[in-house]
Amino acid sequence: MIALRKVSNLLPDWRPGRWMAIGSVTFVFVCIGVLLFYTPSDELMYWPARLVVPSGEDTGTIVFYAVEAGNTGRAELESVEFCFSKDALSRTAMPVTVRNFGASERAIAISNEVGMTVVSLGKLEPKERVNIYLALRYPCGMAPDEWEGVFLGARLSNGRARRGKPAMTSVDRAWFNLSGL
């Protein structure tokens, strides 16, 4: 009981609602692996989207894949590469396009390795975001690939890549820091 009082005296004198809010936010972000109260040095987050467009009875289906990727860490990421299934990218309907957030086209390098096509984005500054666009054609009767069938992973020179919305993570971290919690 004495130890509990000592711990209680060390904690700020907040109302229960504030403690519940902090506990809830901490629980949610620990479960999904994103920290609001700490910005890692090297972190890349990406968020995929997919749009299926039937192009006609005889011509099959075109599927547009878009990936928003962003450096949500504090340090520059020297080398960022996205790896895609070589088999899936053999059905491209148009070239792979990468745009810096704000719509300017970004220079990329595309290379092939065993079973995969690698799209090299180069370096990514902190808070910098890019969008990667793919359009794949599927013949009649062939089911379009899910994201997991197209994407094989991200490679970074340093740090770790995880699935999550880069814009929302940055905004949530800013709100958390401004709130003074």
Side-chain angles (χ1 to χ4, degrees):
M1 203 62 163
I2 293 172
L4 186 58
R5 281 189 204 162
K6 285 183 180 181
V7 170
S8 176
N9 289 337
L10 293 174
L11 296 174
D13 189 24
W14 290 343
R15 291 186 211 124
R18 195 167 198 184
W19 281 112
M20 287 178 54
I22 289 173
S24 299
V25 167
T26 302
F27 177 74
V28 167
F29 286 102
V30 165
C31 288
I32 62 172
V34 176
L35 296 174
L36 287 184
F37 43 86
Y38 170 73
T39 302
S41 178
D42 305 304
E43 178 184 64
L44 176 88
M45 296 192 91
Y46 61 89
W47 190 256
R50 182 179 94 129
L51 175 66
V52 178
V53 180
S55 56
E57 292 179 18
D58 298 334
T59 56
T61 303
I62 294 181
V63 180
F64 294 97
Y65 298 87
V67 185
E68 179 186 358
N71 180 351
T72 53
R74 291 175 290 153
E76 175 183 281
L77 296 172
E78 289 293 325
S79 172
V80 177
E81 298 176 333
F82 276 78
C83 304
F84 298 97
S85 165
K86 191 174 190 175
D87 182 47
L89 262 61
S90 69
R91 295 185 293 278
T92 56
M94 60 181 55
V96 175
T97 306
V98 179
R99 294 194 171 284
N100 291 317
F101 198 76
S104 64
E105 196 155 331
R106 182 182 185 97
I108 59 170
I110 298 176
S111 60
N112 288 308
E113 295 179 9
V114 178
M116 72 175 75
T117 299
V118 179
V119 177
S120 299
L121 304 178
K123 68 179 175 181
L124 221 52
E125 297 290 332
K127 299 180 184 165
E128 186 177 13
R129 292 188 316 217
V130 297
N131 292 325
I132 304 167
Y133 301 102
L134 311 168
L136 305 181
R137 182 182 310 277
Y138 293 88
C140 289
M142 183 177 194
D145 291 312
E146 295 293 328
W147 169 248
E148 292 76 16
V150 175
F151 179 65
L152 301 178
R155 296 191 299 207
L156 310 175
S157 56
N158 49 318
R160 161 180 163 184
R162 69 176 79 207
R163 188 174 175 152
K165 294 186 177 184
M168 286 308 298
T169 300
S170 298
V171 168
D172 290 345
R173 284 179 178 157
W175 276 110
F176 187 83
N177 289 328
L178 287 173
S179 71
L181 292 176

